[in-house]
Amino acid sequence: MQVILAESYGMCFGVRDAIELALTTPHPRELTVLGELVHNAEVLRRVRDAGVRIAPSLEAPVETPRVLITAHGASDAAIRGLRERGLEVDEATCPLVRHAHRMLQRLVNQGYFPVIIGKADHVEVRGLTGDLHEHLVIESPADIERLAGRNRIGVASQTTQPVDYVREIVTQIRQAYPEAEVRFVDTVCQPTK
C-alpha cells in the first residue's frame, strides 16, 4: 500500500463559507477579518490579494469600517463592543458554533453551572465563555477537581474537540461527583466527528 500525504487539507463548511464571504464582499478594501480565518497560507494570500485586511484578534485596531467575525464566532459582548467602536459587523460564525452557543446558554438558563471542554485560550472557547458570569473550561482531567461543591453541572465542548476525549471527561465528571446532576450536550461538530 502506498500512502500519499496531501500538500494541503480540506476545510469544514463553516470555514469554507467564511472564506467565501470574505472573498465575495462587494468592497474588499473596507473589510478587516478579525482573527484566524483559516490555517492555510494560500487561501490567506488570496484573501489579502483581494484587498481584505486581516487583524490578529477581535481586540486589534481596525482601519476599515467593516469587520468580519470568523467561523469561530464571538461573544455577544465582543460583537456589541465592535459596534460601539462604530464598526459594521459581518458574521461568518459557523452554524455549528452558533449551536454550541445556544446549547451552553440553555444550560445556564436551566440553572446548570457551565463547563466547556476545550482550550481556554482558543478563540471559539473565548466566544463561548465571553457572556458568562462564571464558568469552568476543562483542558485536562486535572481541572475536574475545580467542580467540587457544584450540584448542577452543564457540560458542552469546543466544537473541534475529539468526541471520545469529551465523552471520557464527562464520564470522569460523573464519577467524581455522583451526587451532582450532570447534563451533557454534545456540541462536537459532525465534520470533527
Side-chain angles (χ1 to χ4, degrees):
M1 170 174 31
Q2 181 182 15
V3 176
I4 300 172
L5 183 61
E7 287 183 31
S8 62
Y9 300 104
M11 60 194 76
C12 69
F13 74 90
V15 171
R16 183 198 65 223
D17 292 351
I19 293 166
E20 183 69 17
L21 186 59
L23 289 173
T24 60
T25 186
H27 305 287
R29 297 197 183 289
E30 295 179 4
L31 180 66
T32 299
V33 175
L34 298 178
E36 282 195 73
L37 185 61
V38 64
H39 305 288
N40 182 309
E42 175 61 25
V43 172
L44 292 174
R45 183 194 58 74
R46 283 185 23 230
V47 170
R48 284 187 180 102
D49 286 352
V52 176
R53 298 177 193 196
I54 299 175
S57 71
L58 292 171
E59 299 80 22
V62 176
E63 298 174 6
T64 60
R66 290 180 30 247
V67 294
L68 178 74
I69 303 295
T70 68
H72 296 111
S75 68
D76 290 340
I79 293 171
R80 194 169 41 254
L82 292 167
R83 289 189 174 123
E84 287 169 359
R85 288 168 52 187
L87 299 166
E88 182 181 332
V89 178
D90 292 342
E91 280 258 18
T93 303
C94 173
L96 301 177
V97 172
R98 282 194 186 135
H99 172 74
H101 279 256
R102 284 191 307 273
M103 293 299 98
L104 188 59
Q105 189 57 55
R106 184 176 294 168
L107 289 169
V108 170
N109 292 345
Q110 293 172 347
Y112 291 95
F113 175 76
V115 173
I116 300 91
I117 300 169
K119 301 293 179 195
D121 63 346
H122 191 278
V123 65
E124 179 187 333
V125 174
R126 289 194 318 265
L128 285 166
T129 62
D131 294 319
L132 301 175
H133 296 293
E134 61 176 351
H135 64 276
L136 175 64
V137 176
I138 294 184
E139 294 187 287
S140 74
D143 295 321
I144 293 171
E145 68 185 33
R146 296 171 51 204
L147 287 169
R150 301 287 179 180
N151 297 346
R152 301 184 83 212
I153 301 168
V155 184
S157 75
Q158 181 179 335
T159 60
T160 54
Q161 286 292 297
V163 70
D164 291 338
Y165 172 73
V166 169
R167 289 181 181 141
E168 177 57 30
I169 293 293
V170 172
T171 297
Q172 289 182 32
I173 291 170
R174 287 184 170 135
Q175 289 172 346
Y177 305 103
E179 71 288 352
E181 180 184 349
V182 178
R183 173 110 191 271
F184 168 59
V185 291
D186 185 353
T187 54
V188 176
C189 70
Q190 195 59 42
T192 296
K193 289 178 181 173

